[in-house]
Amino acid sequence: MSKITFLGGGSFGSALAVLLAEKNNIVSIYDRNENVVNEINIKRTNEKYMKNSIIPDGVTAFNNIEEAIDGADYIVLSIPSHVIRSMCQKLKNKISKDIPIISIAKGIEENSDKRLSIVIEEELDNPVVILSGPSHAEEVIMKLPTTIVSTSKNMKYATDVQDLFMTSYFRVYTNEDLIGVEVGGAVKNVIALAAGVIDGLGYGDNTKAALLTRGMKEIARVGVALGGREETFYGLTVIQRLLF
Amino acid sequence: MSKITFLGGGSFGSALAVLLAEKNNIVSIYDRNENVVNEINIKRTNEKYMKNSIIPDGVTAFNNIEEAIDGADYIVLSIPSHVIRSMCQKLKNKISKDIPIISIAKGIEENSDKRLSIVIEEELDNPVVILSGPSHAEEVIMKLPTTIVSTSKNMKYATDVQDLFMTSYFRVYTNEDLIGVEVGGAVKNVIALAAGVIDGLGYGDNTKAALLTRGMKEIARVGVALGGREETFYGLTVIQRLLF
């Protein structure tokens, strides 16, 4: 049994918080919106981000970061990429250096073009684990079979996080290619946007297949140039998010 | 300007026949069904296989193989995989050995487990080219952007076929990995069936993404064991047909 704190009460974070609470962990969610906090604690719902779901008693919400992180064994950054740095700055000197920071955010930092694990490392001395997977939080809530990738510079932490989240319906793979997982998860959005354009233009499956196939090759080229491993770009991080 | 004979008047063959006729080639279609032949020649339609399409004058249909192949520069086998061998036996001693045989069929021969290019080579001494691409003939008819792969033991012929079929909306890539293209195009159906099962069971995108990602890895393993190149299995042959 661990204590896990989610910083951010959005849909994917909330889905994972429920999953961990159902595994008998103690789960805290920090959210800056007091209404969300009260709704979770009093009504046991989070209608904006988790429609028609009951949040188990193992989850407690806080409107105060210090209270939320008190005693945490793991901290999950379930916030958008553009606030990762400022959130890490708020955590500075408030958490023990051995607490793994788990990021489920996607993207590259604006202006600096840095991967999010780099951003976190620049602000905190803690181990960083990237969980990269499906965007469909509602399917996790429905316990539909889902796969996700856990990666870290130090794979010991990636494996710990794998064990933490693994259930019969939520399968966590580990991947040693931190760079590839982060770059793939961010860059694939370019191709995903183009796939939307294809739909909008009224093109068909043949066209989309062509885009995805060539797009995967291009993602892989960018990723390899940035230090990732080619095979990562044909894996879960890219495909899972690209297709749907 | 070339003369191309299609053996089989199904939907993908007919779509390619129209494409070639519109490029000012002389195109013959052999079909064993006399009604299909008459409908093409008289009404300029093929309602069963090409709904709402007009077949251009450059296409002539025949109910007799000898007449259809007379003077052909290329012969396209647009028939199902299980009749490839018997069709090649019918062509034996009736065609010059320098006429490329282009197969657009998918699969592995029943009982023998042989790739279709092997089956053709066992019956005929002609060069063999495999065109492997989308199953959505109706999108080719609609001139929606489409990509396809041309491969052969002797890439000179694959390149000739690339030039023959290439248009502004129909992009033909060449790939030197004949084994990989053939195996990928056949084996991916196992995963495509499983994808249908996932839909039937009411699972979601997360589950299907997991299946496709792991399925591609498994297809690649089978394909590499059979002599293909790993990268082929993350390319058009597999992805284009797997996704939709």
Side-chain angles (χ1 to χ4, degrees), chain A residues 134 136 139 145-147 205-207 210, chain B residues 134 136 139 145-147 205-207:
Chain A
H136 292 344
E139 297 187 6
T146 295
T147 50
D205 291 347
N206 295 359
T207 313
Chain B
H136 292 343
E139 296 187 7
T146 295
T147 49
D205 291 348
N206 294 1
T207 313

Side-chain angles (χ1 to χ4, degrees), chain A:
Chain A
M1 198 180 76
S2 301
K3 178 165 180 194
I4 304 101
T5 298
F6 285 78
L7 299 177
S11 42
F12 194 47
S14 299
L16 294 181
V18 169
L19 177 149
L20 291 179
E22 288 180 347
K23 286 186 77 180
N24 294 318
N25 294 288
I26 299 169
V27 180
S28 299
I29 296 178
Y30 160 77
D31 200 277
R32 61 183 180 172
N33 183 333
E34 205 170 344
N35 294 331
V36 169
V37 170
N38 289 335
E39 188 191 343
I40 291 174
N41 289 338
I42 297 164
K43 295 177 69 181
R44 311 306 306 167
T45 60
N46 183 356
E47 279 304 316
K48 186 169 173 198
Y49 292 110
M50 291 174 64
K51 284 222 180 311
N52 309 318
S53 294
I54 300 298
I55 295 173
D57 290 339
V59 177
T60 309
F62 296 89
N63 198 220
N64 176 296
I65 294 182
E66 284 78 1
E67 289 176 33
I69 61 177
D70 184 46
D73 300 306
Y74 297 89
I75 290 176
V76 181
L77 299 177
S78 43
I79 45 178
S81 57
H82 67 275
V83 288
I84 288 276
R85 188 180 292 276
S86 58
M87 179 59 85
C88 289
Q89 286 165 344
K90 284 180 196 159
L91 295 175
K92 204 173 284 190
N93 302 322
K94 287 186 189 141
I95 54 171
S96 160
K97 291 189 197 322
D98 60 351
I99 299 175
I101 307 291
I102 304 166
S103 169
I104 60 171
K106 308 157 215 162
I108 301 284
E109 192 182 41
E110 221 177 344
N111 300 321
S112 79
D113 295 340
K114 287 176 178 162
R115 286 181 283 112
L116 300 181
S117 69
I118 304 275
V119 173
I120 299 167
E121 282 176 355
E122 285 180 352
E123 302 298 337
L124 296 168
D125 295 322
N126 298 58
V128 178
V129 177
I130 301 291
L131 256 194
S132 182
S135 313
H136 292 344
E138 66 278 15
E139 297 187 6
V140 177
I141 290 290
M142 292 165 74
K143 296 187 171 49
L144 297 180
T146 295
T147 50
I148 193 165
V149 170
S150 172
T151 182
S152 178
K153 264 191 191 169
N154 182 338
M155 289 303 287
K156 175 200 171 304
Y157 295 105
T159 307
D160 285 349
V161 168
Q162 177 183 42
D163 293 340
L164 182 67
F165 284 92
M166 185 81 89
T167 72
S168 60
Y169 65 90
F170 193 79
R171 187 168 178 83
V172 185
Y173 288 85
T174 57
N175 185 326
E176 295 184 8
D177 182 15
L178 171 67
I179 298 177
V181 169
E182 286 196 279
V183 172
V187 175
K188 60 86 191 138
N189 284 319
V190 179
I191 305 297
L193 283 170
V197 171
I198 281 178
D199 284 341
L201 289 172
Y203 287 164
D205 291 347
N206 295 359
T207 313
K208 199 182 281 182
L211 171 81
L212 295 181
T213 310
R214 303 310 301 175
M216 272 174 65
K217 296 271 178 209
E218 291 195 15
I219 291 170
R221 280 179 203 157
V222 171
V224 168
L226 292 172
R229 297 183 197 158
E230 180 152 17
E231 63 266 29
T232 303
F233 302 97
Y234 305 121
L236 285 178
T237 318
V238 172
I239 295 187
Q240 190 142 359
R241 288 188 178 161
L242 196 53
L243 299 189
F244 304 105

Side-chain angles (χ1 to χ4, degrees), chain B residues 7 11 21 24 48 57 81-82 93 105 117 130 132 145 157 171-172 178-179 187 194 206 208 219 234 237 243:
Chain B
L7 300 178
S11 42
N24 294 318
K48 185 169 173 197
D57 290 339
S81 57
H82 67 275
N93 302 321
S117 69
I130 302 292
S132 182
Y157 295 106
R171 187 167 178 84
V172 185
L178 172 67
I179 297 178
V187 175
N206 294 1
K208 200 184 279 183
I219 291 169
Y234 305 120
T237 317
L243 299 189

